[in-house]
Amino acid sequence: MPLTKQEWLDLEAKANQLRHTTLDTTLCAGSGHIGGSLSAMDMLVCLYYKYMNIKVEDPNWIDRDRFILSKGHIGIGYAGLLIDKGWNEKDQLKTFNLSGSKMGVHLDSNKVVGVDASTGSLGHGLSIAVGTALAARVRGKDYITYCMLGDGELDEGSNWEAAMSASQFKLDNLICFVDRNMLMMDGPTEEEMALEPLDKKFEAFGFNTLTIDGNNIKEICEAIDNGLACKGKPTMIIAKTIKGCGIDFMENQYKWHYGAIDQDMHDKAAASLDETYKKRVARVEKEA
């Protein structure tokens, strides 16, 4: 599905809106996994507002595309999107991760409408996604399963067992992303547990492997189109992103894997998001 200029502008606007929502929610909650939420937002927006075959009026539609957020700790960013789709009440964000709230740090599929799997115990999501992709084949369904992993999460061996299974069963109805922001909770991934050459590893595991700028909406859409066209193997999109994308004092800082903000920091961050958005719109005007 080629990306038109208007679609690109609309997706940029939505990503900016939801980054602001993530920031507002972090202020209300007192803290949250804001860095990874911001790095992943462009991919989430492309999936939910351009590609995924879903019905707003029927979030449990049997033939819907599935999305498994393996890096489930970024619920503070994902929640705003699920509310924006109309599946949950907006007021729930005001109580995010507070006592009695339906929305915890890791979103519960039994409590939050639109969540296909409860995740956050890192290393489980790809296995679940392989299962839903296999289920589609067994049941004669044509839905696509999308899965997003964190790069630090790839330290978990269960991911590689799932990757072998995805390749073994030639799951071309499975499109995965690694949010490759190069930072995990304790520091740079390459210092904690080196992953490179990550593309060669997934190629060796039998994936159609693509490496892109994961904060460039045009490149994200082109990669998804490639994955949808690929036959006979699963797709892994290694999306090079910026942790804290859009907020200057958070960008590329592992300490913002999880952090707290006050009103002053919120206002400075909001101003930075607005400046980033202006630059991104200018890029669309130049490149579209």
Side-chain angles (χ1 to χ4, degrees):
M1 293 181 281
L3 182 69
T4 68
K5 178 180 178 180
Q6 189 58 54
E7 281 182 311
W8 192 351
L9 288 169
D10 290 345
L11 292 171
E12 291 284 5
K14 183 59 67 175
N16 179 59
Q17 172 198 329
L18 292 176
R19 282 190 169 97
H20 273 282
T21 300
T22 301
L23 178 64
D24 294 345
T25 307
T26 303
L27 179 64
C28 287
S31 60
H33 292 92
I34 188 170
S37 294
L38 297 176
S39 64
M41 190 59 72
D42 297 304
M43 291 175 280
L44 292 173
V45 165
C46 288
L47 287 173
Y48 275 89
Y49 296 87
K50 178 169 170 61
Y51 284 96
M52 288 178 63
N53 185 22
I54 52 181
K55 291 183 177 180
V56 172
E57 70 277 11
D58 185 5
N60 295 316
W61 177 42
I62 192 66
D63 292 321
R64 73 189 184 282
D65 288 342
R66 271 63 169 176
F67 176 68
I68 310 299
L69 182 63
S70 192
K71 49 175 295 181
H73 54 282
I74 66 164
I76 202 163
Y78 189 32
L81 185 154
L82 296 173
I83 285 173
D84 188 67
K85 296 300 292 186
W87 289 331
N88 299 272
E89 295 297 325
K90 187 175 182 179
D91 283 350
Q92 291 182 23
L93 288 181
K94 296 178 181 179
T95 62
F96 186 89
N97 200 34
L98 302 181
S99 297
S101 175
K102 291 182 178 180
M103 290 190 170
V105 170
H106 300 162
L107 300 184
D108 186 336
S109 62
N110 294 312
K111 297 179 180 178
V112 183
V113 180
V115 177
D116 283 318
S118 300
T119 58
S121 296
L122 297 176
H124 294 179
L126 186 54
S127 296
I128 297 171
V130 168
T132 61
L134 274 173
R137 178 180 295 172
V138 170
R139 301 172 72 182
K141 301 290 186 179
D142 61 2
Y143 65 78
I144 304 296
T145 294
Y146 297 93
C147 180
M148 182 182 291
L149 304 114
D151 51 1
E153 176 183 7
L154 293 178
D155 292 354
E156 297 280 357
S158 52
N159 287 297
W160 302 101
E161 295 178 46
M164 284 193 292
S165 298
S167 178
Q168 173 70 24
F169 294 113
K170 298 179 172 59
L171 296 179
D172 52 16
N173 60 346
L174 174 63
I175 297 177
C176 305
F177 298 81
V178 175
D179 183 10
R180 187 72 171 115
N181 59 39
M182 304 293 290
L183 297 171
M184 52 198 297
M185 182 174 64
D186 295 326
T189 58
E190 299 313 283
E191 294 179 11
E192 299 297 324
M193 184 72 72
L195 293 169
E196 296 299 333
L198 190 55
D199 57 345
K200 300 302 181 185
K201 289 176 181 176
F202 278 110
E203 287 172 8
F205 272 74
F207 279 72
N208 169 41
T209 305
L210 309 166
T211 301
I212 66 167
D213 177 350
N215 295 130
N216 183 315
I217 283 173
K218 185 173 185 288
E219 290 193 25
I220 295 168
C221 291
E222 289 173 346
I224 296 172
D225 287 338
N226 181 295
L228 291 170
C230 180
K231 301 302 177 185
K233 59 174 64 176
T235 291
M236 181 62 71
I237 300 168
I238 300 173
K240 294 184 176 181
T241 63
I242 298 172
K243 202 175 191 97
C245 182
I247 299 178
D248 51 10
F249 64 85
M250 292 186 185
E251 289 190 343
N252 290 317
Q253 301 293 320
Y254 76 86
K255 69 178 182 179
W256 285 106
H257 177 84
Y258 185 97
I261 61 173
D262 58 20
Q263 187 66 56
D264 182 58
M265 293 175 72
H266 169 278
D267 295 345
K268 290 177 180 177
S272 182
L273 285 175
D274 289 339
E275 286 301 312
T276 299
Y277 176 58
K278 290 177 184 178
K279 293 176 183 177
R280 292 177 65 142
V281 169
R283 180 174 65 185
V284 178
E285 294 294 342
K286 180 180 178 180
E287 298 180 9

